[in-house]
Amino acid sequence: MVFEITVLCRTNADHRRSVLACLVKGVYSAERDRQEQREGSQALAPPWWESFHFKLLRPLVDDADLSIFGAIYEYEPPSSHYNDSIEQSPRYVIAFRGTLKKRATVVRDFWLNFRIFRYKLHRTSRFKTGMQAVQDKVVSVGDSNVWLAGHSLGAAMAMLAGRAMAKTGIFLESFLFNPPFVSVPVPIERIKNRTLKHWIRFADSVITAALALALEPKNLNQGNVSEDPFAALSPWLPCLFVNPGDLICSEYIGYFEHRREMEEIGAECIEKIATQHSFRGLVKTFRGLLKRLVGKDSEAAEPFHLIPSANLTVNQTPTEDCKNAHDLHQWWRPDLDLHSKLYRYQ
């Protein structure tokens, strides 16, 4: 560990970020321990949660490859801090790891990454196992006592689970490290020319909104919470942690900032429609319409990565390459150049 935190405090942003990242790291390490057959005193994973007074309640196991992809942790603060800690901290954290490039897991993990880009992660057995764990824990202990966390593929899992709960009016504290943004093949955020970047985003918004209205006329009712499911998600404020050097997640920076720019030029009506759709998703919607015309069943493609509100934290600390910009270890360091901004969907 780079530094020591003895008590997890709900109100301290640095504590939350660092501890939640370490708990996710614990899931990675638990799976490595399983593969290397390290048990008892030989196991390397327990310090990642025991250092912060958490205990592993149970691992979440994928029924396809038997790998540990998640964990349910229970917080057990020291007796000297018990009363204050219980009030200011989660009782349970459900954490999900990302892709583990080991022989026993790499095939399954990359297949799941492919399902993310196909908007079909919700149909996988791994997600269903994780979702059931979230629902069961919320029912048994209450939503205010459960936090979600994940990195990369695991962040996509946590986002999808949190989004599903938000649809039912339950808004879980969520910490998503390097969550995949899958709408565009090359992040527009990587373009250096600010003016060019703005006009590319503007054109994309206009085209996306036009296609959305053509394919789904009900979008004319956007903004009305009772009729707009996207607006109904707006009270959920997941914490997103992204790095501009990471091709996988950096587009979230432009995704949220572009809304403000569109409001400034009076084009918020266009953006309210465009922000909840992706071009890839609309293409899949069009294909679904064609299938239904010939009598085939087709499931609507919902871009789970598009969310109305978020607390976005950007790590501006220079990184060597895209790999380092995507690594989990950056998020428990104390010497980061972080910039946070709250975006609320209106």
Side-chain angles (χ1 to χ4, degrees):
M1 304 294 177
V2 178
F3 58 100
E4 182 180 0
I5 299 173
T6 57
V7 177
L8 172 58
C9 179
R10 181 188 293 265
T11 58
N12 189 311
D14 289 333
H15 283 197
R16 293 183 301 166
R17 167 180 52 82
S18 302
V19 173
L20 271 295
C22 288
L23 293 180
V24 174
K25 175 64 176 179
V27 184
Y28 280 102
S29 294
E31 172 54 22
R32 289 192 177 97
D33 283 346
R34 185 191 72 86
Q35 293 186 29
E36 300 295 330
Q37 298 183 342
R38 294 189 294 252
E39 299 179 352
S41 61
Q42 301 299 314
L44 302 180
W48 288 103
W49 56 79
E50 292 176 351
S51 299
F52 310 107
H53 306 290
F54 280 88
K55 75 172 182 179
L56 178 61
L57 203 61
R58 73 178 177 94
L60 300 177
V61 178
D62 191 314
D63 61 1
D65 63 0
L66 302 182
S67 69
I68 297 172
F69 70 88
I72 302 177
Y73 298 107
E74 182 178 6
Y75 186 48
E76 294 186 324
S79 57
S80 58
H81 296 86
Y82 185 83
N83 291 333
D84 292 338
S85 296
I86 288 298
E87 293 179 359
Q88 298 182 17
S89 306
R91 286 182 58 194
Y92 299 91
V93 173
I94 301 178
F96 304 98
R97 67 167 175 84
T99 302
L100 190 55
K101 298 176 183 177
K102 296 290 185 180
R103 181 179 301 177
T105 51
V106 66
V107 173
R108 173 69 168 168
D109 287 354
F110 272 100
W111 181 82
L112 288 164
N113 283 319
F114 179 70
R115 303 301 280 182
I116 292 175
F117 284 86
R118 297 274 295 171
Y119 298 148
K120 292 182 178 180
L121 183 63
H122 64 289
R123 296 170 61 179
T124 65
S125 60
R126 179 180 292 189
F127 172 73
K128 291 176 181 177
T129 299
M131 187 71 224
Q132 189 63 57
V134 173
Q135 291 173 327
D136 290 347
K137 189 53 65 177
V138 168
V139 168
S140 63
V141 303
D143 56 278
S144 63
N145 294 311
V146 179
W147 288 9
L148 302 179
H151 172 246
S152 192
L153 167 60
M157 295 265 295
M159 179 176 288
L160 189 53
R163 208 173 189 273
M165 297 302 291
K167 288 181 178 180
T168 68
I170 296 174
F171 308 109
L172 301 179
E173 291 259 17
S174 303
F175 300 82
L176 313 175
F177 302 98
N178 304 88
F181 192 98
V182 300
S183 288
V184 290
V186 178
I188 302 173
E189 190 61 28
R190 302 286 289 179
I191 299 174
K192 301 299 182 182
N193 187 303
R194 185 175 177 82
T195 301
L196 176 61
K197 185 161 53 177
H198 168 76
W199 285 109
I200 290 176
R201 291 194 191 282
F202 180 80
D204 178 68
S205 292
V206 172
I207 294 171
T208 299
L211 286 173
L213 288 172
L215 293 171
E216 302 175 0
K218 66 178 184 294
N219 284 302
L220 288 170
N221 294 321
Q222 54 80 27
N224 185 338
V225 174
S226 63
E227 300 180 8
D228 180 7
F230 192 75
L233 297 175
S234 58
W236 183 45
L237 284 168
C239 297
L240 273 59
F241 300 89
V242 304
N243 188 310
D246 180 9
L247 294 174
I248 293 174
C249 70
S250 62
E251 189 58 26
Y252 273 110
I253 301 170
Y255 171 71
F256 285 108
E257 190 61 20
H258 183 59
R259 291 185 193 172
R260 181 188 61 80
E261 295 175 349
M262 292 292 276
E263 290 175 1
E264 289 178 351
I265 64 174
E268 62 269 20
C269 290
I270 294 175
E271 189 58 23
K272 275 186 176 292
I273 298 173
T275 196
Q276 54 187 296
H277 296 89
S278 70
F279 183 78
R280 187 192 301 259
L282 291 171
V283 170
K284 289 180 71 64
T285 298
F286 178 68
R287 290 175 179 170
L289 290 174
L290 293 180
K291 287 182 179 180
R292 286 193 288 273
L293 286 175
V294 297
K296 294 183 178 180
D297 293 333
S298 177
E299 183 182 15
E302 182 178 5
F304 72 89
H305 63 290
L306 302 182
I307 51 178
S309 306
N311 190 338
L312 182 69
T313 297
V314 180
N315 181 13
Q316 298 286 0
T317 309
T319 52
E320 295 179 3
D321 50 34
C322 183
K323 180 182 181 300
N324 282 289
H326 189 69
D327 279 349
L328 177 63
H329 74 266
Q330 65 185 295
W331 299 113
W332 60 71
R333 289 176 50 188
D335 57 341
L336 300 177
D337 180 16
L338 300 177
H339 299 263
S340 298
K341 191 169 183 178
L342 183 64
Y343 293 92
R344 288 187 181 274
Y345 185 80
Q346 303 294 332

